[in-house]
């Protein structure tokens, strides 16, 4: 994949000082950063292979300030990149050289906890985990739990439609948000949904969720909270073959059992996680399933027996069942730390994110192994197995010439394979810049044009997060007629490290 971004507008860049001064008038105090040294902190997100300092950073802390910043930028024709905590793995929050980076880090307040309606109204900069922590005393929690939950913001979760190990049973972010306040590029403030699950009109919340910062800036979110299940226990099941573990996943779902979470790791991932976290993972297996069953005690006891029997039928070689909350958390600790654990065994890794129908898991794994040999690069596999969401971590060394290009080509082939197997290009990490140029593998030109018409309805000048998600930029007025492949929007390479 070669990553190209819109060419910097030199006229806008020449006005940097003037633009910073205008933003300071809107966001006084320390809300505007334009020193090169301080802006380094914002030059990349979780896709660290790509870096680009922004023209200026603005950190508003009220919706009114966001509205004024966006209105000013629209009037001046300035691009804007929204940013939450900057943990995106697809480059969605990568700045633009001639763009304002609008950070939501100061939106840190939980505005309301409403146990009667089982919702929390929160600002977008609050971390995912902080929402669960805020309601834990009453036995509630917020279900979607990305592994990055200690750091990622709920605004970023909505923008990426993030998932986590418990999304198999409780749904992705889109199933757990009820409403939001969003500021359009024009500065208009739109309120969508609310505390109720039913809303009249188009499902605009569904459109905003997963919109990757291209439609508006989210300044408030209403999320659903759930009561913690009476019991949760986890099984750690080992297999001598990855394919057998894949079959076990399909058999459990096929038996009508929906576990609270069902995750798989292959041998390299198991070894890396065990060395890092010491979770007690068996090291003599090729694949490990962690299966969590939750609900009333009697139901969980019964389900454990059924899952154990299914696993044995699929040839499991070991099975350990958590006997305490501490042990259950330990089983998960290794899985949740799998990405940083792999970071300890390889100088660099590329985390891919594709989805396949569950039944295709063994085929996908076999193909990934073939590709690993073809490219001569190692791979550690971590999956949200129940959802068919793959996270192959491709191991490479950026200091070796040509290795990052090889890793990217390997990753692109994995995603093509997901589409061929009837899956999709992304499970939960978004398209961003990482998968943007692969969008035509999955969508026709008609599909992509229609998606861009939707973008045009929110942001006709294409100023919000341009260069992300869509492989070709079209001018709104001309969509469906002449295709304008840039001209002014020619794409030079962006610096990569
Ligand atoms: C170690 C690690 C583990 C991870 N594990 C998971 C996982 O299990 N599941 C998962 O889904 N993801 C995971 N991720 C990816 C990442 O954490 C999620 O995509 C997360 O939702 C990003 O949130 P953020 O606040 O960091 O957003 P950012 O990275 O700042 O931004 C992400 C995108 O959202 C847009 N955006 C951010 N805030 C707003 C806003 N308020 N309004 C409009 N647009 C906005 C940005 O423009 C960008 O396009 C992981 C990342 C890491 C580094």
């Amino acid at each position: 994949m070669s990553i190209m971004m819109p060419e910097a507008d030199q006229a806008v860049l020449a006005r940097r000082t003037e633009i910073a001064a205008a933003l300071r008038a809107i966001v006084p105090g320390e809300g505007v950063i334009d020193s090169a040294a301080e802006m380094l902190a914002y030059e990349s997100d979780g896709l660290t292979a790509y870096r680009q300092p922004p023209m200026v950073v603005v950190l508003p802390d009220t919706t009114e300030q966001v509205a004024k910043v966006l209105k000013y930028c629209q009037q001046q024709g300035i691009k804007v990149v929204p940013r939450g905590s900057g943990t995106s793995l697809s480059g969605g929050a990568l700045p633009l050289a001639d763009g304002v980076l609008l950070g939501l880090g100061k939106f840190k307040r939980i505005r309301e906890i409403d146990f009667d309606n089982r919702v929390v109204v929160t600002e977008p900069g609050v971390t995912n985990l902080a929402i669960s922590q805020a309601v834990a005393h009453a036995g509630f929690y917020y279900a979607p739990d990305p592994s990055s939950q200690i750091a990622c913001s709920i605004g970023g979760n909505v923008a990426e439609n993030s998932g986590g190990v418990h999304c198999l049973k409780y749904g992705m972010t889109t199933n757990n948000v009820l409403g939001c306040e969003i500021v359009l590029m024009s500065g208009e403030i739109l309120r969508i949904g609310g505390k109720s699950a039913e809303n009249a009109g188009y499902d605009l919340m569904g459109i905003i969720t997963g919109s990757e910062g291209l439609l508006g800036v989210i300044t408030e979110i209403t999320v659903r909270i759930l009561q913690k299940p009476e019991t949760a226990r986890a099984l750690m099941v080992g297999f001598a073959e990855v394919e057998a573990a894949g079959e076990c996943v399909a058999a459990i779902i096929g038996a009508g059992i929906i576990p609270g979470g069902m995750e798989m790791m292959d041998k390299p991932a198991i070894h890396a996680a065990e060395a890092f976290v010491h979770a007690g993972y068996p090291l003599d297996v090729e694949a490990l399933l962690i299966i969590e069953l939750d609900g009333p005690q009697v139901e969980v006891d019964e389900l454990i027996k059924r899952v154990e029997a299914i696993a044995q039928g699929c040839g499991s070689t070991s099975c350990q069942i958590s006997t305490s909350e501490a042990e259950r958390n330990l089983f998960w600790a290794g899985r949740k730390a799998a990405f940083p654990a792999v970071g300890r065994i390889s100088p660099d890794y590329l985390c891919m994110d594709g989805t396949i129908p569950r039944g295709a898991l063994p085929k996908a794994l076999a193909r990934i192994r073939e590709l690993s040999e073809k490219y001569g690069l190692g791979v550690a596999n971590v999956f949200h197995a129940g959802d068919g969401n793959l996270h192959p971590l491709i191991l490479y060394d950026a200091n070796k010439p040509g290795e990052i290009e090889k890793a990217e080509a390997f990753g692109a082939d994995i995603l093509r394979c997901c589409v061929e197997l009837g899956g999709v290009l992304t499970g939960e990490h978004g398209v961003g810049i990482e998968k943007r140029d692969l969008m035509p593998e999955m969508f026709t030109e008609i599909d992509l044009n229609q998606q861009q018409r939707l973008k045009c309805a929110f942001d006709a000048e294409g100023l919000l997060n341009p260069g992300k998600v869509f492989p070709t930029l079209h001018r709104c007025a001309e969509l469906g007629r002449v295709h304008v492949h840039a001209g002014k929007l020619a794409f030079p390479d962006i610096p990569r490290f």
Side-chain angles (χ1 to χ4, degrees):
M1 281 178 274
S2 68
I3 306 297
M4 319 275 267
M5 294 298 282
E7 190 176 76
D9 185 329
Q10 296 305 321
V12 169
L13 269 177
R15 293 169 48 220
R16 178 198 296 252
T17 312
E18 175 203 325
I19 291 166
L23 293 174
R24 277 196 182 97
I26 300 171
V27 185
E30 295 181 344
V32 176
I33 302 170
D34 61 349
S35 98
E38 285 178 66
M39 287 196 298
L40 278 182
Y42 298 92
E43 68 175 359
S44 75
D45 57 16
L47 187 68
T48 51
Y50 296 90
R51 295 181 200 175
Q52 170 63 66
M55 174 174 64
V56 52
V57 176
V58 63
L59 304 170
D61 68 357
T62 65
T63 300
E64 290 65 34
Q65 287 178 352
V66 172
K68 284 183 184 166
V69 167
L70 292 184
K71 190 172 179 184
Y72 165 77
C73 288
Q74 189 193 48
Q75 285 167 350
Q76 302 295 320
I78 301 166
K79 299 165 197 158
V80 177
V81 176
R83 177 182 166 112
S85 303
T87 65
S88 165
L89 291 168
S90 57
L94 182 77
L96 298 167
D98 57 348
V100 168
L101 188 82
L102 193 160
L104 279 306
K106 290 189 174 175
F107 278 77
K108 280 254 175 269
R109 290 155 292 228
I110 289 186
R111 291 186 178 162
E112 188 188 351
I113 297 177
D114 178 348
F115 288 117
D116 289 340
N117 286 302
R118 301 193 168 198
V119 298
V120 168
V121 182
T122 176
E123 294 188 354
V126 171
T127 63
N128 171 294
L129 187 61
I131 297 175
S132 287
Q133 286 171 337
V135 295
H137 64 280
F140 282 82
Y141 73 114
Y142 173 65
D145 55 345
S147 304
S148 51
Q149 66 183 153
I150 192 169
C152 64
S153 73
I154 187 70
N157 289 180
V158 175
E160 298 283 17
N161 189 18
S162 294
V165 300
H166 289 97
C167 290
L168 171 63
K169 184 168 181 180
Y170 297 103
M172 304 279 285
T173 302
T174 191
N175 307 110
N176 289 277
V177 287
L178 296 172
C180 75
E181 175 187 78
I182 181 164
V183 186
L184 305 182
M185 201 61 215
S186 59
E188 289 165 297
I189 300 167
L190 200 66
R191 292 197 74 89
I192 299 170
K195 291 183 177 178
S196 144
E198 300 301 329
N199 289 299
Y202 290 126
D203 179 11
L204 290 182
M205 200 58 237
I207 289 170
I208 299 304
T209 311
S211 60
E212 302 197 32
L214 269 75
L215 302 185
V217 175
I218 302 158
T219 46
E220 184 189 284
I221 301 150
T222 302
V223 301
R224 190 198 303 273
I225 49 170
L226 302 179
Q227 211 152 16
K228 278 191 192 151
E230 184 189 312
T231 317
R233 289 176 74 190
L235 289 83
M236 198 159 72
V237 190
F239 292 86
E241 285 170 10
V242 178
E243 286 74 10
E247 279 157 21
C248 182
V249 169
I252 290 170
I253 302 284
I257 301 169
I258 307 291
M262 182 152 54
E263 300 281 309
M264 193 198 292
M265 289 188 278
D266 72 359
K267 195 168 193 171
I270 298 165
H271 281 247
E274 181 58 18
F276 187 31
V277 170
H278 310 295
Y281 291 169
L283 296 176
D284 57 346
V285 298
E286 287 296 321
L288 189 67
L289 281 184
I290 302 175
I291 306 161
E292 183 163 297
L293 298 160
D294 62 4
Q297 177 86 49
V298 275
E299 183 185 325
V300 170
D301 289 347
E302 174 61 22
L303 288 176
I304 286 176
K305 283 186 213 145
R306 287 180 63 197
V307 167
E308 233 185 330
I310 293 171
Q312 276 167 8
C314 293
S316 61
T317 53
S318 65
C319 180
Q320 211 181 319
I321 302 165
S322 69
T323 52
S324 65
E325 198 50 13
E327 201 174 14
R328 183 182 72 88
N329 287 331
L330 191 61
F331 287 4
W332 282 121
R335 163 60 188 92
K336 291 216 169 195
F339 292 3
V342 167
R344 295 168 78 233
I345 60 166
S346 172
D348 300 283
Y349 70 86
L350 206 56
C351 172
M352 303 314 294
D353 162 49
T355 303
I356 50 161
R358 263 187 303 267
L361 213 53
K363 268 193 198 157
L365 292 172
R367 182 81 185 114
I368 292 171
R369 261 203 304 271
E370 278 167 31
L371 289 168
S372 170
E373 276 169 33
K374 173 181 161 191
Y375 285 101
L377 294 176
V379 63
N381 282 296
V382 179
F383 318 108
H384 298 307
D387 300 311
N389 182 196
L390 314 179
H391 288 319
L393 305 171
I394 300 171
L395 316 182
Y396 72 98
D397 183 350
N399 290 321
K400 290 192 184 154
E403 277 224 336
I404 184 166
E405 287 77 13
K406 258 204 288 183
E408 286 178 341
F410 183 178
D413 278 352
I414 292 176
L415 295 179
R416 283 190 192 100
C417 162
C418 290
V419 176
E420 277 162 26
L421 290 171
V424 294
L425 284 177
T426 175
E428 55 182 19
H429 294 172
V431 176
I433 54 168
E434 184 211 12
K435 304 173 192 113
R436 183 195 61 186
D437 296 343
L438 291 168
M439 288 284 272
E441 299 282 337
M442 178 153 182
F443 296 108
T444 65
E445 193 175 355
I446 296 170
D447 297 335
L448 289 169
N449 283 352
Q450 195 59 23
Q451 290 175 29
Q452 286 201 59
R453 286 191 189 97
L454 185 61
K455 155 94 173 147
C456 291
F458 282 81
D459 170 29
E461 286 86 11
L463 293 171
L464 256 181
N465 221 359
K468 318 288 171 68
V469 180
F470 295 112
T472 310
L473 296 183
H474 291 104
R475 291 202 181 114
C476 290
E478 288 155 345
L479 259 174
R481 291 194 284 129
V482 187
H483 295 162
V484 180
H485 291 255
K488 180 174 172 206
L489 301 169
F491 293 131
D493 252 317
I494 83 157
R496 189 168 60 187
F497 297 82

mmCIF file of all heavy atoms in Angstrom, residues 196-210:
data_model
loop_
_atom_site.group_PDB
_atom_site.id
_atom_site.type_symbol
_atom_site.label_atom_id
_atom_site.label_comp_id
_atom_site.label_asym_id
_atom_site.label_seq_id
_atom_site.Cartn_x
_atom_site.Cartn_y
_atom_site.Cartn_z
ATOM 1 N N SER A 196 -33.423 7.505 24.627
ATOM 2 C CA SER A 196 -34.296 6.396 24.251
ATOM 3 C C SER A 196 -33.709 5.632 23.063
ATOM 4 O O SER A 196 -33.002 6.209 22.227
ATOM 5 C CB SER A 196 -35.676 6.968 23.897
ATOM 6 O OG SER A 196 -36.239 6.257 22.847
ATOM 7 N N ALA A 197 -34.018 4.351 22.982
ATOM 8 C CA ALA A 197 -33.473 3.542 21.885
ATOM 9 C C ALA A 197 -34.193 3.817 20.570
ATOM 10 O O ALA A 197 -33.647 3.558 19.496
ATOM 11 C CB ALA A 197 -33.584 2.066 22.241
ATOM 12 N N GLU A 198 -35.403 4.344 20.645
ATOM 13 C CA GLU A 198 -36.185 4.579 19.422
ATOM 14 C C GLU A 198 -36.115 6.047 19.021
ATOM 15 O O GLU A 198 -36.316 6.926 19.843
ATOM 16 C CB GLU A 198 -37.665 4.205 19.669
ATOM 17 C CG GLU A 198 -37.887 2.760 20.058
ATOM 18 C CD GLU A 198 -37.392 1.770 19.008
ATOM 19 O OE1 GLU A 198 -37.427 2.111 17.809
ATOM 20 O OE2 GLU A 198 -36.948 0.677 19.387
ATOM 21 N N ASN A 199 -35.835 6.294 17.742
ATOM 22 C CA ASN A 199 -35.821 7.668 17.249
ATOM 23 C C ASN A 199 -36.534 7.743 15.915
ATOM 24 O O ASN A 199 -36.484 6.802 15.127
ATOM 25 C CB ASN A 199 -34.388 8.154 17.089
ATOM 26 C CG ASN A 199 -33.728 8.372 18.437
ATOM 27 O OD1 ASN A 199 -34.180 9.187 19.231
ATOM 28 N ND2 ASN A 199 -32.693 7.596 18.712
ATOM 29 N N ALA A 200 -37.155 8.891 15.680
ATOM 30 C CA ALA A 200 -37.862 9.063 14.407
ATOM 31 C C ALA A 200 -36.860 9.420 13.306
ATOM 32 O O ALA A 200 -35.765 9.880 13.580
ATOM 33 C CB ALA A 200 -38.896 10.168 14.562
ATOM 34 N N GLY A 201 -37.251 9.199 12.067
ATOM 35 C CA GLY A 201 -36.422 9.644 10.933
ATOM 36 C C GLY A 201 -35.294 8.680 10.604
ATOM 37 O O GLY A 201 -35.256 7.541 11.067
ATOM 38 N N TYR A 202 -34.388 9.175 9.761
ATOM 39 C CA TYR A 202 -33.249 8.345 9.349
ATOM 40 C C TYR A 202 -32.378 7.986 10.556
ATOM 41 O O TYR A 202 -32.323 8.733 11.536
ATOM 42 C CB TYR A 202 -32.376 9.105 8.350
ATOM 43 C CG TYR A 202 -33.010 9.302 6.997
ATOM 44 C CD1 TYR A 202 -33.110 10.573 6.438
ATOM 45 C CD2 TYR A 202 -33.489 8.217 6.274
ATOM 46 C CE1 TYR A 202 -33.678 10.755 5.185
ATOM 47 C CE2 TYR A 202 -34.059 8.400 5.020
ATOM 48 C CZ TYR A 202 -34.153 9.667 4.484
ATOM 49 O OH TYR A 202 -34.716 9.837 3.262
ATOM 50 N N ASP A 203 -31.652 6.881 10.450
ATOM 51 C CA ASP A 203 -30.769 6.456 11.534
ATOM 52 C C ASP A 203 -29.451 7.238 11.432
ATOM 53 O O ASP A 203 -28.417 6.704 11.019
ATOM 54 C CB ASP A 203 -30.524 4.940 11.425
ATOM 55 C CG ASP A 203 -29.584 4.436 12.515
ATOM 56 O OD1 ASP A 203 -29.303 5.202 13.466
ATOM 57 O OD2 ASP A 203 -29.124 3.283 12.398
ATOM 58 N N LEU A 204 -29.499 8.518 11.805
ATOM 59 C CA LEU A 204 -28.288 9.339 11.685
ATOM 60 C C LEU A 204 -27.204 8.890 12.668
ATOM 61 O O LEU A 204 -26.014 9.016 12.384
ATOM 62 C CB LEU A 204 -28.623 10.819 11.915
ATOM 63 C CG LEU A 204 -29.457 11.485 10.808
ATOM 64 C CD1 LEU A 204 -29.681 12.956 11.114
ATOM 65 C CD2 LEU A 204 -28.783 11.342 9.450
ATOM 66 N N MET A 205 -27.624 8.340 13.812
ATOM 67 C CA MET A 205 -26.618 7.856 14.780
ATOM 68 C C MET A 205 -25.796 6.729 14.145
ATOM 69 O O MET A 205 -24.588 6.633 14.350
ATOM 70 C CB MET A 205 -27.341 7.361 16.043
ATOM 71 C CG MET A 205 -26.475 7.287 17.277
ATOM 72 S SD MET A 205 -25.708 8.832 17.731
ATOM 73 C CE MET A 205 -23.981 8.372 17.726
ATOM 74 N N GLY A 206 -26.492 5.903 13.341
ATOM 75 C CA GLY A 206 -25.800 4.810 12.648
ATOM 76 C C GLY A 206 -24.796 5.347 11.635
ATOM 77 O O GLY A 206 -23.769 4.722 11.373
ATOM 78 N N ILE A 207 -25.109 6.516 11.059
ATOM 79 C CA ILE A 207 -24.203 7.108 10.054
ATOM 80 C C ILE A 207 -22.995 7.751 10.737
ATOM 81 O O ILE A 207 -21.859 7.628 10.282
ATOM 82 C CB ILE A 207 -24.973 8.147 9.204
ATOM 83 C CG1 ILE A 207 -25.959 7.428 8.296
ATOM 84 C CG2 ILE A 207 -24.015 9.007 8.382
ATOM 85 C CD1 ILE A 207 -26.936 8.332 7.599
ATOM 86 N N ILE A 208 -23.257 8.403 11.858
ATOM 87 C CA ILE A 208 -22.142 9.066 12.564
ATOM 88 C C ILE A 208 -21.188 8.021 13.156
ATOM 89 O O ILE A 208 -19.972 8.193 13.158
ATOM 90 C CB ILE A 208 -22.696 9.976 13.708
ATOM 91 C CG1 ILE A 208 -23.601 11.072 13.119
ATOM 92 C CG2 ILE A 208 -21.570 10.569 14.537
ATOM 93 C CD1 ILE A 208 -22.971 11.937 12.074
ATOM 94 N N THR A 209 -21.767 6.908 13.639
ATOM 95 C CA THR A 209 -20.910 5.877 14.248
ATOM 96 C C THR A 209 -20.089 5.210 13.146
ATOM 97 O O THR A 209 -20.647 4.655 12.200
ATOM 98 C CB THR A 209 -21.761 4.822 14.981
ATOM 99 O OG1 THR A 209 -22.683 5.508 15.815
ATOM 100 C CG2 THR A 209 -20.901 3.911 15.832
ATOM 101 N N GLY A 210 -18.780 5.318 13.275
ATOM 102 C CA GLY A 210 -17.897 4.758 12.245
ATOM 103 C C GLY A 210 -17.579 5.750 11.140
ATOM 104 O O GLY A 210 -17.026 5.365 10.111
#
